[in-house]
């Protein structure tokens, strides 16, 4: 008796997770194409060529990609857990400050005051020695570790206390916003040792490469695109797993999921921490491309704006959050140049219009229209078949 042997090779979990995600596949392909073609358009085409991309534009696009990572992190907890976090701007800013501290240590004696150890703002404020929490930031590996650990640790402590106390809904949203606002006030203080109102700026180089060189800016843009792709694959793997299905159950019927024996608090905490880490990495990639990090990044308005990106793009789709972040930030750049005085009104109008006419976001609207067209085609075909039989 012969046994049938299965010779098919098992697909990886990531490929299985992406199998039914056509929108995500197209989004990742677009990002991959951008990080390949845009640098080529900058380096291989002359400045007068119509397809030439300026280095400034590449840095601007890199900033957009870091925002897309941030929107992805928010969609992970809001779309799949139902946690409307208005504090992810804090995790983004903390990751940015960790990278900014490394970049400040790299300045050395090239600063205004020529102090090889103390950053310029510390010399100006008559600090005598480097604070203990700045130690180690002269090493990139240490800064990269802090980019992950600091937002993750804050999210763990905050989430543990909030979820164990069964805080949810609008109250949790208010608490996350209060956390962000408190951090903003703290970082504005000069005695905190983070540059006060001016923040950290005047960066020179990263990993020994000048931040003013076109090649460095291109490398940062490519690194941000790769990080976005990796973050999407990670999030997609999570939401496509059993953990993702339980997360949806928590979002829809938390009490019933808890009654069935699932560790609801632990699942919410794990996903919340993962989301915070992704936001922190996005902030770390953002800072060297824009050249500054200050307490304004903690502003509650920024966290609210992130929610608008996700809502407009399409909640609980992941790739919709990326689309929403890219579309709105491009519109913001265009409005601030062409109509700078009406940008805030335009942002509010986008949110109102998306709520009224696109409750599922751009992606949800397109998906609904696509399904309707497919259904109409099937109905029309069935009608033709019936008429042919008659």
């Amino acid at each position: 008796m012969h046994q049938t042997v299965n010779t098919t090779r098992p697909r990886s979990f990531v490929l299985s997770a992406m199998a039914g995600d056509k929108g995500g596949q197209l989004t990742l392909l677009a990002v991959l194409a951008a990080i390949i073609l845009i640098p080529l358009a900058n380096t291989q085409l002359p400045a007068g060529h119509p397809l030439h991309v300026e280095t400034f534009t590449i840095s601007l696009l890199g900033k957009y990609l870091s925002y897309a990572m941030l929107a992805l992190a928010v969609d992970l907890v809001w779309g799949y857990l139902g946690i409307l976090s208005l504090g992810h701007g804090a995790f983004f800013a903390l990751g940015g400050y960790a990278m900014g501290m490394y970049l400040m240590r790299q300045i050395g004696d090239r600063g205004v005051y020529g102090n090889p150890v103390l950053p310029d703002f510390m010399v100006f404020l008559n600090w005598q020695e480097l604070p203990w929490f700045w130690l180690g930031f002269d090493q990139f590996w240490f800064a990269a570790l802090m980019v992950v650990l600091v937002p993750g640790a804050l999210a763990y402590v905050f989430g543990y206390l909030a979820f164990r106390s069964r805080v949810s809904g609008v109250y949790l949203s208010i608490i996350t916003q209060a956390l962000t606002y408190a951090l903003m006030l703290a970082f504005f203080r000069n005695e905190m040792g983070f540059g006060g109102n001016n923040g950290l700026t005047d960066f020179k180089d990263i990993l020994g490469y000048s931040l003013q060189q076109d090649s460095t800016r291109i490398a940062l843009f490519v690194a941000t695109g790769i990080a976005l792709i990796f973050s999407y694959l990670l999030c997609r793997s999570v939401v496509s797993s059993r953990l993702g299905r339980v997360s949806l159950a928590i979002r829809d019927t938390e009490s019933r999921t808890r009654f069935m024996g699932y560790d609801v608090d632990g699942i919410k905490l794990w996903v919340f921490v993962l989301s915070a880490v992704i936001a922190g990495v996005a902030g770390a990639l953002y800072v060297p491309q824009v050249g500054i990090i200050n307490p304004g990044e903690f502003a509650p308005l920024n966290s609210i704006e992130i929610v608008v990106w996700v809502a407009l793009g399409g909640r609980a789709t992941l790739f919709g959050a990326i689309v929403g972040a890219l579309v709105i930030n491009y519109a913001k750049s265009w409005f601030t140049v062409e109509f700078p005085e009406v940008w805030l009104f335009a942002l509010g109008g986008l949110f109102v219009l998306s709520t009224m006419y696109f409750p599922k976001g751009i992606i949800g609207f397109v998906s609904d229209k696509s399904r309707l067209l497919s259904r109409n085609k099937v109905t029309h075909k069935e009608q033709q078949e019936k008429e042919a039989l008659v």
Side-chain angles (χ1 to χ4, degrees), residues 240-271:
S240 301
S241 66
R242 183 183 178 186
L243 175 62
R245 292 190 290 271
V246 176
S247 298
L248 289 175
I250 294 172
R251 181 194 69 184
D252 297 333
T253 54
E254 180 175 335
S255 58
R256 181 179 295 181
T257 307
R258 195 183 299 274
F259 179 76
M260 292 175 65
Y262 288 100
D263 183 12
V264 171
D265 299 332
I267 292 172
K268 291 169 70 174
L269 181 60
W270 192 92
V271 177

Short mmCIF file of all heavy atoms in Angstrom, two decimals, residues 240-271:
data_model
loop_
_atom_site.label_atom_id
_atom_site.label_comp_id
_atom_site.label_asym_id
_atom_site.label_seq_id
_atom_site.Cartn_x
_atom_site.Cartn_y
_atom_site.Cartn_z
N SER A 240 -3.15 38.64 10.90
CA SER A 240 -3.59 37.45 10.20
C SER A 240 -3.47 36.19 11.03
O SER A 240 -3.92 35.12 10.61
CB SER A 240 -2.79 37.26 8.90
OG SER A 240 -2.93 38.37 8.06
N SER A 241 -2.88 36.30 12.20
CA SER A 241 -2.68 35.16 13.07
C SER A 241 -3.87 34.99 14.01
O SER A 241 -4.83 35.75 13.98
CB SER A 241 -1.39 35.34 13.88
OG SER A 241 -1.53 36.44 14.77
N ARG A 242 -3.76 34.00 14.87
CA ARG A 242 -4.80 33.79 15.87
C ARG A 242 -4.88 34.99 16.80
O ARG A 242 -5.97 35.38 17.24
CB ARG A 242 -4.49 32.53 16.67
CG ARG A 242 -5.55 32.17 17.70
CD ARG A 242 -5.16 30.95 18.50
NE ARG A 242 -6.16 30.64 19.52
CZ ARG A 242 -6.02 29.70 20.43
NH1 ARG A 242 -4.92 28.96 20.45
NH2 ARG A 242 -6.96 29.48 21.32
N LEU A 243 -3.72 35.59 17.11
CA LEU A 243 -3.70 36.78 17.94
C LEU A 243 -4.52 37.90 17.31
O LEU A 243 -5.25 38.61 18.01
CB LEU A 243 -2.26 37.24 18.14
CG LEU A 243 -2.06 38.56 18.90
CD1 LEU A 243 -2.60 38.45 20.31
CD2 LEU A 243 -0.57 38.95 18.92
N GLY A 244 -4.42 38.05 15.99
CA GLY A 244 -5.21 39.07 15.31
C GLY A 244 -6.69 38.80 15.37
O GLY A 244 -7.50 39.73 15.56
N ARG A 245 -7.08 37.55 15.23
CA ARG A 245 -8.51 37.21 15.31
C ARG A 245 -9.06 37.45 16.71
O ARG A 245 -10.19 37.93 16.86
CB ARG A 245 -8.71 35.75 14.88
CG ARG A 245 -8.42 35.51 13.40
CD ARG A 245 -8.86 34.12 12.97
NE ARG A 245 -8.01 33.09 13.55
CZ ARG A 245 -6.89 32.64 13.00
NH1 ARG A 245 -6.45 33.18 11.88
NH2 ARG A 245 -6.19 31.68 13.58
N VAL A 246 -8.25 37.13 17.71
CA VAL A 246 -8.68 37.42 19.08
C VAL A 246 -8.76 38.93 19.32
O VAL A 246 -9.66 39.41 20.02
CB VAL A 246 -7.73 36.75 20.09
CG1 VAL A 246 -8.11 37.13 21.53
CG2 VAL A 246 -7.75 35.24 19.94
N SER A 247 -7.84 39.67 18.72
CA SER A 247 -7.87 41.13 18.86
C SER A 247 -9.16 41.71 18.29
O SER A 247 -9.77 42.61 18.88
CB SER A 247 -6.65 41.75 18.14
OG SER A 247 -5.45 41.32 18.71
N LEU A 248 -9.59 41.18 17.14
CA LEU A 248 -10.86 41.64 16.57
C LEU A 248 -12.02 41.28 17.48
O LEU A 248 -12.98 42.06 17.62
CB LEU A 248 -11.06 41.00 15.19
CG LEU A 248 -10.15 41.51 14.07
CD1 LEU A 248 -10.37 40.72 12.79
CD2 LEU A 248 -10.38 42.99 13.81
N ALA A 249 -11.95 40.12 18.11
CA ALA A 249 -13.01 39.73 19.05
C ALA A 249 -13.04 40.68 20.25
O ALA A 249 -14.11 41.05 20.73
CB ALA A 249 -12.79 38.29 19.50
N ILE A 250 -11.85 41.08 20.71
CA ILE A 250 -11.77 42.04 21.82
C ILE A 250 -12.36 43.37 21.40
O ILE A 250 -13.08 44.03 22.16
CB ILE A 250 -10.31 42.20 22.27
CG1 ILE A 250 -9.80 40.90 22.89
CG2 ILE A 250 -10.18 43.34 23.28
CD1 ILE A 250 -8.31 40.91 23.20
N ARG A 251 -12.07 43.79 20.18
CA ARG A 251 -12.59 45.06 19.68
C ARG A 251 -14.12 45.05 19.63
O ARG A 251 -14.78 46.03 20.00
CB ARG A 251 -12.03 45.34 18.29
CG ARG A 251 -12.48 46.64 17.67
CD ARG A 251 -12.18 46.68 16.19
NE ARG A 251 -13.01 45.73 15.44
CZ ARG A 251 -12.90 45.51 14.13
NH1 ARG A 251 -11.98 46.15 13.44
NH2 ARG A 251 -13.70 44.64 13.53
N ASP A 252 -14.69 43.95 19.18
CA ASP A 252 -16.14 43.88 18.96
C ASP A 252 -16.91 43.51 20.22
O ASP A 252 -17.95 44.11 20.51
CB ASP A 252 -16.45 42.88 17.84
CG ASP A 252 -15.85 43.31 16.51
OD1 ASP A 252 -15.67 44.52 16.31
OD2 ASP A 252 -15.56 42.43 15.68
N THR A 253 -16.43 42.52 20.98
CA THR A 253 -17.12 42.06 22.19
C THR A 253 -16.08 41.69 23.24
O THR A 253 -15.78 40.50 23.43
CB THR A 253 -18.03 40.86 21.88
OG1 THR A 253 -17.24 39.84 21.25
CG2 THR A 253 -19.19 41.23 21.00
N GLU A 254 -15.56 42.68 23.91
CA GLU A 254 -14.49 42.42 24.88
C GLU A 254 -14.96 41.56 26.04
O GLU A 254 -14.25 40.64 26.47
CB GLU A 254 -13.93 43.74 25.41
CG GLU A 254 -12.81 43.55 26.42
CD GLU A 254 -12.18 44.86 26.86
OE1 GLU A 254 -12.25 45.84 26.09
OE2 GLU A 254 -11.62 44.89 27.97
N SER A 255 -16.14 41.84 26.56
CA SER A 255 -16.63 41.08 27.72
C SER A 255 -16.81 39.60 27.38
O SER A 255 -16.47 38.72 28.18
CB SER A 255 -17.94 41.68 28.21
OG SER A 255 -18.92 41.68 27.17
N ARG A 256 -17.34 39.30 26.20
CA ARG A 256 -17.52 37.91 25.81
C ARG A 256 -16.18 37.21 25.61
O ARG A 256 -16.02 36.05 25.99
CB ARG A 256 -18.35 37.83 24.53
CG ARG A 256 -18.62 36.41 24.05
CD ARG A 256 -19.47 36.40 22.79
NE ARG A 256 -20.80 36.95 23.05
CZ ARG A 256 -21.75 37.04 22.12
NH1 ARG A 256 -21.51 36.65 20.88
NH2 ARG A 256 -22.92 37.54 22.43
N THR A 257 -15.21 37.92 25.02
CA THR A 257 -13.88 37.34 24.82
C THR A 257 -13.22 37.05 26.16
O THR A 257 -12.57 36.01 26.34
CB THR A 257 -13.01 38.31 24.00
OG1 THR A 257 -13.68 38.68 22.81
CG2 THR A 257 -11.68 37.66 23.65
N ARG A 258 -13.39 37.94 27.10
CA ARG A 258 -12.85 37.73 28.44
C ARG A 258 -13.52 36.54 29.10
O ARG A 258 -12.86 35.73 29.79
CB ARG A 258 -13.03 39.00 29.28
CG ARG A 258 -12.20 39.02 30.56
CD ARG A 258 -12.53 40.30 31.35
NE ARG A 258 -12.20 41.50 30.61
CZ ARG A 258 -11.00 42.06 30.62
NH1 ARG A 258 -10.01 41.50 31.31
NH2 ARG A 258 -10.79 43.17 29.94
N PHE A 259 -14.84 36.41 28.93
CA PHE A 259 -15.59 35.32 29.53
C PHE A 259 -15.16 33.97 28.96
O PHE A 259 -15.20 32.94 29.65
CB PHE A 259 -17.09 35.52 29.28
CG PHE A 259 -17.95 34.44 29.84
CD1 PHE A 259 -18.21 34.36 31.20
CD2 PHE A 259 -18.51 33.48 29.01
CE1 PHE A 259 -19.00 33.35 31.72
CE2 PHE A 259 -19.32 32.46 29.52
CZ PHE A 259 -19.56 32.40 30.89
N MET A 260 -14.70 33.95 27.69
CA MET A 260 -14.26 32.71 27.06
C MET A 260 -12.88 32.26 27.55
O MET A 260 -12.40 31.19 27.17
CB MET A 260 -14.23 32.89 25.54
CG MET A 260 -15.61 33.05 24.92
SD MET A 260 -15.53 33.39 23.15
CE MET A 260 -14.82 31.85 22.53
N GLY A 261 -12.24 33.04 28.39
CA GLY A 261 -10.99 32.62 29.00
C GLY A 261 -9.74 33.22 28.41
O GLY A 261 -8.63 32.87 28.84
N TYR A 262 -9.85 34.12 27.45
CA TYR A 262 -8.67 34.74 26.86
C TYR A 262 -8.10 35.82 27.80
O TYR A 262 -8.84 36.49 28.51
CB TYR A 262 -9.00 35.37 25.52
CG TYR A 262 -9.24 34.36 24.41
CD1 TYR A 262 -10.53 34.02 24.03
CD2 TYR A 262 -8.18 33.76 23.76
CE1 TYR A 262 -10.76 33.09 23.02
CE2 TYR A 262 -8.39 32.84 22.75
CZ TYR A 262 -9.69 32.51 22.39
OH TYR A 262 -9.88 31.59 21.39
N ASP A 263 -6.79 35.95 27.76
CA ASP A 263 -6.11 36.98 28.55
C ASP A 263 -6.22 38.31 27.80
O ASP A 263 -5.29 38.73 27.10
CB ASP A 263 -4.65 36.59 28.78
CG ASP A 263 -3.91 37.59 29.64
OD1 ASP A 263 -4.58 38.46 30.24
OD2 ASP A 263 -2.66 37.53 29.70
N VAL A 264 -7.35 38.95 27.94
CA VAL A 264 -7.63 40.17 27.19
C VAL A 264 -6.62 41.26 27.52
O VAL A 264 -6.08 41.92 26.62
CB VAL A 264 -9.06 40.65 27.48
CG1 VAL A 264 -9.29 42.04 26.88
CG2 VAL A 264 -10.07 39.66 26.91
N ASP A 265 -6.32 41.44 28.80
CA ASP A 265 -5.39 42.50 29.20
C ASP A 265 -4.00 42.25 28.63
O ASP A 265 -3.32 43.18 28.18
CB ASP A 265 -5.33 42.59 30.72
CG ASP A 265 -6.68 42.94 31.34
OD1 ASP A 265 -7.47 43.62 30.65
OD2 ASP A 265 -6.93 42.54 32.48
N GLY A 266 -3.56 41.00 28.66
CA GLY A 266 -2.24 40.68 28.13
C GLY A 266 -2.14 40.89 26.63
O GLY A 266 -1.13 41.39 26.13
N ILE A 267 -3.20 40.53 25.90
CA ILE A 267 -3.20 40.70 24.45
C ILE A 267 -3.19 42.19 24.10
O ILE A 267 -2.43 42.63 23.22
CB ILE A 267 -4.42 39.99 23.83
CG1 ILE A 267 -4.28 38.48 23.99
CG2 ILE A 267 -4.59 40.37 22.36
CD1 ILE A 267 -5.50 37.70 23.59
N LYS A 268 -4.03 42.96 24.78
CA LYS A 268 -4.07 44.39 24.53
C LYS A 268 -2.71 45.03 24.83
O LYS A 268 -2.23 45.89 24.08
CB LYS A 268 -5.16 45.05 25.37
CG LYS A 268 -6.57 44.66 24.93
CD LYS A 268 -7.62 45.09 25.93
CE LYS A 268 -7.81 46.57 25.99
NZ LYS A 268 -8.94 46.95 26.87
N LEU A 269 -2.08 44.59 25.90
CA LEU A 269 -0.79 45.15 26.29
C LEU A 269 0.28 44.81 25.26
O LEU A 269 1.07 45.68 24.86
CB LEU A 269 -0.39 44.62 27.67
CG LEU A 269 0.93 45.12 28.24
CD1 LEU A 269 0.90 46.63 28.40
CD2 LEU A 269 1.22 44.45 29.58
N TRP A 270 0.30 43.56 24.79
CA TRP A 270 1.32 43.13 23.83
C TRP A 270 1.22 43.93 22.53
O TRP A 270 2.21 44.43 22.01
CB TRP A 270 1.17 41.64 23.55
CG TRP A 270 2.32 41.05 22.82
CD1 TRP A 270 3.41 40.46 23.35
CD2 TRP A 270 2.48 40.99 21.39
NE1 TRP A 270 4.27 40.04 22.36
CE2 TRP A 270 3.73 40.36 21.15
CE3 TRP A 270 1.73 41.41 20.31
CZ2 TRP A 270 4.22 40.14 19.85
CZ3 TRP A 270 2.23 41.21 19.02
CH2 TRP A 270 3.44 40.57 18.80
N VAL A 271 0.01 44.06 21.99
CA VAL A 271 -0.19 44.77 20.73
C VAL A 271 0.10 46.26 20.91
O VAL A 271 0.68 46.91 20.03
CB VAL A 271 -1.61 44.54 20.20
CG1 VAL A 271 -1.86 45.33 18.92
CG2 VAL A 271 -1.86 43.06 19.94
#
